[in-house]
Amino acid sequence: MAQIEKLSGIAFLAFPEMKNLLTAELAGRFDYGKIVESATVDGLSFTPFGTSSWYGDLLYCPDFKHEIFENVGNELPYFASTCMIEPFILRFESIGEAASALKEIQRNWAPYQYQLFRRASLIQEKLPYINLKTRKFPVNIPNSPMGLYTLLDDKTMLASALTNSPLPAGRIQFEEDHENPPSRAYLKIQESLSLFRAFFGVDFPKEGEKCFEAGACPGGWTWVLRQLGADVLAVDRAELAPSLMEDEHVHFMAHDAFTLKPEEVCSLLECEKIDWLLSDVICYPARLLQWIKLWLDADRAKNIICTIKMQGAIDWPLIAEFAKIPSSRIVHLNYNKHELTILIHNE
Ligand SMILES: C[S@@+](CC[C@H](N)C(=O)[O-])C[C@H]1O[C@@H](n2cnc3c(N)ncnc32)[C@H](O)[C@@H]1O
C-alpha cells in the first residue's frame, strides 16, 4: 500500500538555470534565507536555512511559512515556474502503485525529473494523458489544476496536487520557427499573449487592432503581431528586418519611444486609445515604470506588455511598485532571461 506523509513548507521549482535568481528572490523579496558573499554568481550566492534542500532545480523549504506570501499580495516567487504548495512524500512499492495513488488525488500530474527519468516516464504513462510536448502557438492555457511530482529514489516521491500553475511543471514550450521571425524574442511575446489571455480573458491582437511597440528592432514581436493581423507602430533607433519595413501594416519610426507622447501615438495610429502598448526596451526599470505610469495616467492604452530588464541585482522594492499597478500581473516567462514581464489589463 502506498503511504502519504504530509510535509510542512513549500517546494519551489526554479526555471532552468535560474536557481540563483530564485534564491536571491526568496531572500530579497520574501526575506527568506540569507545572501552570503561568493565569487561565483554575480558576486552573490545563497545559503538556504539549514533544513532546505535542492532536488535538481526544486528547492524544498520545510520552514517556509504560507503567511509569508500575504506580505506580497499572495504572489509566489517569479523565478519559480511552479510551486508545490501542499507538499507530501509518497512511498510506494511499484510504478502502478505510485500512479494509482496520484490518480486517486486528482487527474492531472506532471513530472519534474532530475534523475530516474525512465522510472518517472513509466509512472507518467500510467497516469491520465497530459500534453508534455512542445506546443504550436497559439495555445490555450487550461485552468484545471496541475499536480507536480519528482522521484527522490525509486520508491519515494515528493509531490503536491496543489501548485500555482496549470501548465506542466509551470512552463510553456513552443515549437520554434528558425526561419521566419527576425529574432528569438518572438517567443516572449507569444508566451506573454498566451498568459494575458489566460489571466484577463483578452483575446490576441487581431486585424484592425492598433499596437505601439517601443524598441521593436529587429522585429520578433512585430512579426508576431503582424502574423495575428494587427497594425503596428514600431519605434526604435534602428530599422526592422526588411520584410517588416515593406509591410504596409507596419509603420516604422526612428525615434526615442519614451519621448513620444501618448496623444501623438494615438493620433499617428488614428485612434483614441491603442489596443496594445508593448515594450522590450533595455532601460532602467525606474524609467520604464515612469513611462508606464505616463500611459496609465493618459488612459490611452487598453492592454500593456513590457519587459522589465534588470540591471545587476534586482531592486525588489521597485518591482513591488510595478506590482501595485491595478489589474497587473508580473511574471517570469519561460522565455525571459534575467528579466521579468509585466502584463496590465487597463480596460
Ligand atoms: C531587446 S531589443 C528588442 C527586440 C525586439 N522586441 C524583437 O522582438 O526583435 C531592444 C531594442 O530597444 C531599442 N531601444 C533602446 N532604447 C530605446 C528607446 N529609448 N526608444 C526606442 N527604442 C529603444 C534598441 O535599439 C533595441 O533594438
Side-chain angles (χ1 to χ4, degrees), residues 183 185-186 188 213-222 235-238 255-258 280-282 309:
S183 72
Y186 77 97
K188 289 197 289 188
E213 192 193 338
C217 171
W221 287 27
T222 308
V235 177
D236 202 301
R237 296 189 183 103
H255 208 282
D256 177 346
F258 290 157
D280 196 22
V281 168
I282 301 163
K309 311 254 181 186

Side-chain angles (χ1 to χ4, degrees), residues 237-300:
R237 296 189 183 103
E239 289 196 353
L240 311 188
S243 61
L244 294 168
M245 294 300 288
E246 286 157 16
D247 183 335
E248 59 179 26
H249 291 276
V250 176
H251 178 77
F252 172 76
M253 219 176 145
H255 208 282
D256 177 346
F258 290 157
T259 60
L260 282 174
K261 294 198 176 74
E263 305 76 56
E264 284 176 73
V265 170
C266 287
S267 111
L268 283 164
L269 282 167
E270 297 174 354
C271 59
E272 268 303 298
K273 213 167 174 176
I274 57 171
D275 296 286
W276 297 88
L277 174 68
L278 307 131
S279 167
D280 196 22
V281 168
I282 301 163
C283 67
Y284 288 105
R287 180 76 187 92
L288 177 69
L289 181 61
Q290 193 186 28
W291 183 69
I292 291 175
K293 285 189 170 168
L294 173 86
W295 272 88
L296 289 173
D297 288 345
D299 195 20
R300 292 289 196 141

Side-chain angles (χ1 to χ4, degrees), residues 46-62:
F46 175 80
T47 307
F49 287 138
T51 47
S52 301
S53 346
W54 282 106
Y55 300 99
D57 289 340
L58 185 71
L59 181 68
Y60 171 49
C61 306

